[in-house]
Amino acid sequence: MSEAATGMGGNWHVRKVRIGEVEFPYHYGVDCTDRILGELADLGADRFIVVTDDTVLALHGERILPGLRALAPVEVLSQQPGEHMKSLSQLSDYVERALGAHATRSTVVIAFGGGVPGNLAGLLSALIFRGVRLVHIPTTTVAAMDSVLSLKQAINSSLGKNHIGTYYSPEAVYTDIRMLTTLPERELRSGLCEAAKNCLAIAPDALPGLRKVLANGGLNTPDSLLWLLDESIRAKTMVTAQDTREQRAALVLEYGHTTGHAVELADQRLRGSEGLSHGEAIAFGMIVAARISHARGWMSRECVIQHEEIVAALGAPQRLPGKMTVDDVLSVVRDDNKRGYLPAEPDSIPYVLLKGLGDLAGTENLPLVQVKLAEIRDALEGLNRDNAWGS
């Protein structure tokens, strides 16, 4: 479990995040960019390699880059945002550019942006000279409340999401909550979908607080975002503290991800950047998982309705988007990256299911069960036919 401390009149928070044998500090506050730059100065970097995207640069580049350049030379690796960045060709290009910019073992790689730049930066820092220091400065709710609270760094293959990667620890994480308040509503809610996942699967005692935040609106207020960040850190470290590689108990964090990842990737193939965000897809995937559990007689109808009410409040979809078909989703689900945790069964894949809020199927040390593709098909077809039960 992480520990918390505050300073600077309560505007600067530091929590120690423990993931198995690894521990790193998570620093956050509101309007604290100067403090972040002060912390980066203490690293003594000979240069900074900043991995970001063009949207983040336009919104927040002037907050960070001038201060970084006052400390050391800066190489910025940026392009148009999107899942296309998470490819082997892009990683290869960034490695060559970082080395061409005279990176050394004293260089610090900064992941500046959302989860996609974060994953690229994580792999880049792990590969250069077999490992240089990595720092995260997340600017999205998905990154701040989910992806940086992990050692997993991964890119996509041509078959599916996050097939190629490694585990690598950051030196530290720094979040200025003010940057999160500038997010478009859809992107903001995307990160909150991951926070909702943590509440449903890990910490149901936080659900009243989540419902209050959703009911009050104003999701981009500093107070709401600070509460959500605190709860996300608490929930994730509850399951990662003894599971460095997130391959045992922490697999609960994959709740909603099996079908969610497939829907996300299939939609991006169909609609490109107009496709569902990561969080929206995961929220949809949680409803699919809940319906599968209910069909097995594990989860109550009331619990499924709770899932659907929260997903609806987050503005996430409750049926397949656009022209996507059930077969589009199943063709991607077959290549899910959790294959191999359980003995193979014909036409089945390992899946995280709940029996109730915070009540995992499987075992405490391996919260996975085999789910037949036909069960996923039935749940998807039922959603497209019935939509939400609570409507």
Side-chain angles (χ1 to χ4, degrees), residues 80-193:
Q80 285 296 311
E83 195 75 10
H84 66 275
M85 293 173 64
K86 289 176 60 171
S87 68
L88 275 173
S89 60
Q90 192 59 66
L91 176 63
S92 175
D93 177 59
Y94 278 9
V95 168
E96 295 292 342
R97 288 174 61 184
L99 294 173
H102 310 295
T104 75
R105 288 177 173 82
S106 295
T107 293
V108 172
V109 174
I110 296 179
F112 185 39
V116 172
N119 271 271
L120 264 178
L123 277 177
L124 176 67
S125 58
L127 292 173
I128 296 176
F129 305 119
R130 301 187 184 90
V132 298
R133 288 172 293 174
L134 167 68
V135 166
H136 287 289
I137 304 179
T139 64
T140 69
T141 47
V142 170
M145 299 179 189
D146 184 63
S147 60
V148 303
L149 295 167
S150 173
L151 307 183
K152 295 190 296 185
Q153 319 294 341
I155 56 175
N156 303 334
S157 72
S158 61
L159 295 176
K161 281 180 64 69
N162 300 329
H163 284 176
I164 305 161
T166 190
Y167 297 87
Y168 198 68
S169 173
E171 188 82 3
V173 178
Y174 301 98
T175 297
D176 186 340
I177 295 292
R178 186 66 64 189
M179 293 187 191
L180 306 184
T181 67
T182 66
L183 289 169
E185 182 79 5
R186 183 185 178 204
E187 211 171 326
L188 177 68
R189 288 178 180 273
S190 179
L192 304 191
C193 291

Side-chain angles (χ1 to χ4, degrees), residues 83 161-162 194 197 254-268 275-289 292 317 320-321 324 328-330 332-333 336 338 349 351-352 376 380 383:
E83 195 75 10
K161 281 180 64 69
N162 300 329
E194 289 280 6
K197 174 206 71 180
E254 292 286 311
Y255 187 55
H257 281 58
T258 301
T259 302
H261 270 167
V263 169
E264 180 186 7
L265 192 58
D267 201 22
Q268 285 165 352
L276 292 179
S277 70
H278 173 75
E280 289 170 331
I282 298 314
F284 177 81
M286 291 192 295
I287 294 179
V288 174
I292 293 171
L320 289 178
M324 188 185 304
D328 289 334
V329 178
L330 293 179
V332 182
V333 162
D336 183 74
K338 288 181 289 299
I349 57 171
Y351 211 101
V352 179
I376 303 173
L380 289 169
L383 278 165

Side-chain angles (χ1 to χ4, degrees), residues 45-56:
D46 65 352
R47 68 190 63 246
F48 295 101
I49 306 294
V50 178
V51 181
T52 186
D53 65 50
D54 296 350
T55 299
V56 173

Side-chain angles (χ1 to χ4, degrees), residues 241-307:
Q242 303 301 322
D243 190 0
T244 306
R245 291 179 174 258
E246 298 180 33
Q247 293 180 336
R248 309 302 296 178
L251 282 167
V252 63
L253 296 170
E254 292 286 311
Y255 187 55
H257 281 58
T258 301
T259 302
H261 270 167
V263 169
E264 180 186 7
L265 192 58
D267 201 22
Q268 285 165 352
R269 288 172 177 172
L270 288 169
R271 298 193 292 168
S273 61
E274 297 300 315
L276 292 179
S277 70
H278 173 75
E280 289 170 331
I282 298 314
F284 177 81
M286 291 192 295
I287 294 179
V288 174
R291 289 208 170 197
I292 293 171
S293 289
H294 178 73
R296 289 185 169 202
W298 291 352
M299 183 177 285
S300 69
R301 179 185 178 91
E302 291 71 25
C303 192
V304 177
I305 290 174
Q306 281 184 286
H307 276 65

